[in-house]
Amino acid sequence: MSIEYEEQLAGSLVDSFPKDFGYGVENMDMMQENLENSPSADNKPRILLMGLRRSGKSSIQKVVFHKMSPNETLFLESTNKIYKDDISASSFVNFHIWDFPGQVDFFDPTFDYEMIFRGTGALIFVIDAQDDYVEALGRLHLTVSRAFRVNPEINFEVFIHKVDGLSDDHKIETQRDIHQRANDDLADASLEKLHLSFYLTSIYDHSIFEAFSKVVQKLIPQLPTLENLLNIFISNSGIEKAFLFDVVSKIYIATDSSPVDMQSYELCCDMIDVVIDVSCIYGLKDDSNGNAYDKESLAIIKLNNTTVLYLKEVTKFLALVCILREESFERKGLIDYNFHCFRKAIHEVFEVSSSTQRTGAAVQSSPPSSSGNGLARLKSAALNGTPRSMV
Ligand SMILES: Nc1nc2c(ncn2[C@@H]2O[C@H](COP(=O)(O)OP(=O)(O)OP(=O)(O)O)[C@@H](O)[C@H]2O)c(=O)[nH]1
């Protein structure tokens, strides 16, 4: 990767973001402060977790965001009021996660569903796949149709949950059946425009983290730019796969555009666990305020199958985790330099987000430069990747 990359980052990135940035993915102190001082600070975008009683909502939230071990969820008590969880202090994911009690009564006049759905980015509906799901499908239909009428911009996500108890064939069959019935119900109600996404999940493996990653990615307006930066980074560094991870939750907020296979994702998650555990045990200094993850965080693990895992700090909450071949790792100097450029680019992406939020200034897009060699054009295209509009 050449110096050009850095130069273009400085110029074009700033120009390539829309002025209506504001979705909450913050990663630097300054931005956090900015958000906290803004009038909408208490009004962070929401991810709602809904579904019947005992479907697994609280377990999902605790396992993904609070490091609870799956076995401990057996002792969770039933939720009897809306539980609002603000995870932004420890995580890049700057949302409120609202866990609803199993039986929300939409007809209860004290339940102001319009207010709730208006500020919602994603509604996750959890269906217990080990149970009879007919009632859950009825509730799903009622919930999404109400929410869609109030706010058609919501992403509707259905977690077909607890699939650890199902055989592979049964999983596929259950997903097909739920998909079919839910969409038939929507078609009967003339709600074809309402799109449902389905995921097979379990807290006993990485599927719940993968599904949550996809949900969160849809809410990140910078995603296309992050993907383009990752593509450029890996193609110029001989890396096979790279994930940008939220360290606390192990959600990946972006990856390059090659397909994600579960094994690679699990390997990278495990690496984060190893790094944090080792840092906690051996790495804490007296003056480090107990932070196991900081600017110095860096790890290289060589596996016995000529694969190398490489982890490096990107921001306070984010880490880049890469998978590469041993022979590519011989050019470590190049990888480190490219990483330096990549890190700088990521910081600029979110600084732009922060400054546009702070000033509300209009930012004009500049056309991509058509001059230069192929690589320069590729970089230019990445820098001008169109961020998604806000939900
Ligand atoms: N096998 C299996 N059990 C799960 C999974 N997720 C949650 N459970 C179990 O499901 C039970 C109910 O989980 P909760 O998280 O309390 O369910 P909830 O939807 O929050 O329930 P309410 O608070 O009553 O609405 C617990 O015993 C969990 O251990 C999963 O992926 N697989």
Side-chain angles (χ1 to χ4, degrees):
M1 198 175 291
S2 69
I3 302 284
E4 236 170 282
Y5 180 39
E6 272 196 272
E7 284 167 358
Q8 290 201 19
L9 289 175
S12 315
L13 255 186
V14 176
D15 295 337
S16 64
F17 284 91
K19 58 179 179 255
D20 59 348
F21 251 37
Y23 221 90
V25 274
E26 309 303 287
N27 57 354
M28 283 172 269
D29 296 345
M30 184 180 67
M31 284 184 268
Q32 199 65 45
E33 209 174 284
N34 166 40
L35 249 193
E36 276 158 16
N37 295 334
S38 77
S40 60
D42 306 318
N43 227 355
K44 288 181 186 152
R46 287 174 211 131
I47 298 179
L48 307 185
L49 272 167
M50 297 181 127
L52 294 187
R53 273 194 188 289
R54 312 302 291 157
S55 55
K57 304 175 291 297
S58 310
S59 311
I60 292 173
Q61 194 205 9
K62 298 280 183 212
V63 169
V64 175
F65 292 104
H66 298 280
K67 295 208 169 293
M68 183 179 270
S69 91
N71 288 330
E72 282 175 63
T73 65
L74 290 166
F75 308 106
L76 280 177
E77 286 187 8
S78 202
T79 316
N80 50 23
K81 64 180 174 60
I82 298 176
Y83 175 70
K84 299 175 191 174
D85 191 12
D86 180 0
I87 47 172
S88 58
S90 61
S91 165
F92 179 82
V93 185
N94 188 20
F95 311 121
H96 278 158
I97 312 257
W98 285 22
D99 179 9
F100 279 73
Q103 307 294 359
V104 170
D105 182 2
F106 288 103
F107 300 99
D108 182 339
T110 59
F111 181 68
D112 185 358
Y113 67 85
E114 292 207 357
M115 181 279 288
I116 289 169
F117 291 143
R118 233 177 274 125
T120 295
L123 189 160
I124 300 173
F125 195 93
V126 185
I127 296 180
D128 182 347
Q130 294 187 11
D131 201 5
D132 177 16
Y133 47 76
V134 174
E135 191 190 344
L137 282 170
R139 176 60 59 165
L140 167 70
H141 181 73
L142 180 71
T143 309
V144 297
S145 52
R146 291 253 163 166
F148 185 74
R149 287 197 185 98
V150 176
N151 180 1
E153 301 294 320
I154 296 176
N155 297 330
F156 294 100
E157 319 280 3
V158 182
F159 284 7
I160 302 169
H161 193 52
K162 305 193 191 178
V163 291
D164 47 279
L166 273 50
S167 68
D168 283 348
D169 286 351
H170 196 174
K171 273 185 209 171
I172 307 288
E173 177 51 27
T174 307
Q175 180 170 19
R176 194 204 53 75
D177 191 38
I178 290 180
H179 186 285
Q180 175 86 42
R181 291 190 199 206
N183 282 318
D184 286 353
D185 288 349
L186 291 176
D188 291 347
S190 307
L191 284 171
E192 287 91 350
K193 283 199 183 132
L194 194 165
H195 177 75
L196 299 173
S197 305
F198 296 87
Y199 309 82
L200 292 168
T201 57
S202 163
I203 53 169
Y204 288 96
D205 58 33
H206 287 81
S207 58
I208 192 61
F209 296 94
E210 239 241 303
F212 234 105
S213 301
K214 302 250 169 75
V215 169
V216 168
Q217 282 168 27
K218 287 190 197 170
L219 300 173
I220 299 178
Q222 301 93 327
L223 182 66
T225 306
L226 299 181
E227 273 175 12
N228 285 345
L229 290 171
L230 283 161
N231 283 340
I232 295 170
F233 172 67
I234 65 161
S235 62
N236 288 287
S237 313
I239 289 170
E240 292 190 352
K241 187 81 196 148
F243 293 94
L244 194 56
F245 269 97
D246 178 43
V247 175
V248 158
S249 61
K250 285 185 281 170
I251 281 176
Y252 67 96
I253 65 143
T255 181
D256 60 274
S257 45
S258 65
V260 175
D261 81 281
M262 262 312 243
Q263 265 189 334
S264 312
Y265 175 60
E266 288 177 19
L267 206 53
C268 295
C269 286
D270 290 347
M271 178 164 193
I272 293 179
D273 284 338
V274 170
V275 171
I276 298 298
D277 289 351
V278 172
S279 301
C280 279
I281 300 169
Y282 301 106
L284 291 186
K285 295 188 192 119
D286 293 340
D287 58 349
S288 65
N289 298 330
N291 274 342
Y293 182 75
D294 60 24
K295 280 200 165 60
E296 308 286 305
S297 294
L298 158 70
I300 298 159
I301 298 180
K302 293 190 180 178
L303 305 182
N304 62 3
N305 60 357
T306 72
T307 304
V308 174
L309 302 177
Y310 183 61
L311 177 149
K312 225 162 151 51
E313 185 259 7
V314 177
T315 74
K316 192 172 153 194
F317 299 130
L318 295 179
L320 183 75
V321 187
C322 306
I323 301 178
L324 64 159
R325 302 258 128 243
E326 230 167 51
E327 47 281 15
S328 309
F329 199 66
E330 283 164 13
R331 293 177 298 162
K332 184 168 175 300
L334 175 75
I335 296 173
D336 284 343
Y337 178 70
N338 287 345
F339 173 80
H340 165 76
C341 299
F342 173 79
R343 186 177 186 278
K344 203 168 159 210
I346 295 290
H347 277 254
E348 292 199 25
V349 166
F350 293 109
E351 259 162 34
V352 172
S353 152
S354 162
S355 59
T356 45
Q357 260 184 11
R358 201 169 41 242
T359 60
V363 178
Q364 299 295 317
S365 285
S366 67
S369 153
S370 58
S371 62
N373 59 22
L375 183 59
R377 277 200 297 279
L378 175 69
K379 290 162 189 167
S380 174
L383 300 172
N384 287 284
T386 320
R388 287 180 190 196
S389 58
M390 280 183 355
V391 182

